[in-house]
Amino acid sequence: MSRRALCISGSLCLVAAFTATTVHAANYARTYLVNDVLLPTSNSQSTSYAIDVDGDGFIENNFGQILAALTAQGIDLNGSMDSAVASGSIVHLVRLQSTDAFLNNDPAAQATWCVGVPT
C-alpha cells in the first residue's frame, strides 16, 4: 500500500493510502482511503489551494479564506479534522479511473468521491 497526496479544489488537500487494481486492459483504477485531510490555516495556504472555478482567469478560494479567519480566532480546524479521521467518524474513499496504466496523463480520467459510513 502506498501514500499519495491529492489536492482537491474547495479548500482541502487529502493524503490517502491507495491500492492499485486493474479493471480491464484499457481501464485502470486506483482506490484511495483518505487518511489525512489538510485544511488551509492561513490566507497564503488558501491561495495555494485555490483554482479558477468559474473560468474568469482569477483563482479563488473563499471557503479557504473563511477557514483561515477561523484559525486566526484560535479554532484548531486541522486538529479537529485529524481527530475525526483517526477515530473513523469521517471516512472518505476516492476512486480514480484512467486509460493510462500509470495515471499520469489522461484528459478523460474520472474520480469518484464517496463518503463512507463512520466506523
Side-chain angles (χ1 to χ4, degrees):
M1 189 163 299
S2 301
R3 287 172 54 97
R4 177 173 289 176
L6 304 168
C7 290
I8 309 290
S9 65
S11 306
L12 57 102
C13 187
L14 309 172
V15 179
F18 73 89
T19 56
T21 56
T22 303
V23 178
H24 58 77
N27 192 10
Y28 300 92
R30 287 195 179 145
T31 302
Y32 295 85
L33 169 62
V34 176
N35 59 9
D36 195 12
V37 178
L38 305 174
L39 300 170
T41 57
S42 67
N43 285 329
S44 63
Q45 285 180 347
S46 176
T47 301
S48 71
Y49 289 9
I51 63 170
D52 182 8
V53 177
D54 55 8
D56 65 357
F58 299 100
I59 60 170
E60 53 264 319
N61 189 351
N62 293 337
F63 183 63
Q65 292 174 353
I66 292 169
L67 297 178
L70 291 171
T71 300
Q73 297 298 315
I75 299 171
D76 182 14
L77 297 171
N78 278 321
S80 298
M81 183 63 73
D82 291 345
S83 296
V85 171
S87 71
S89 62
I90 291 180
V91 178
H92 293 279
L93 306 171
V94 179
R95 180 174 176 81
L96 299 179
Q97 290 182 278
S98 173
T99 57
D100 177 9
F102 298 103
L103 296 165
N104 289 331
N105 187 15
D106 182 357
Q110 296 179 351
T112 305
W113 185 327
C114 301
V115 177
V117 176
T119 57

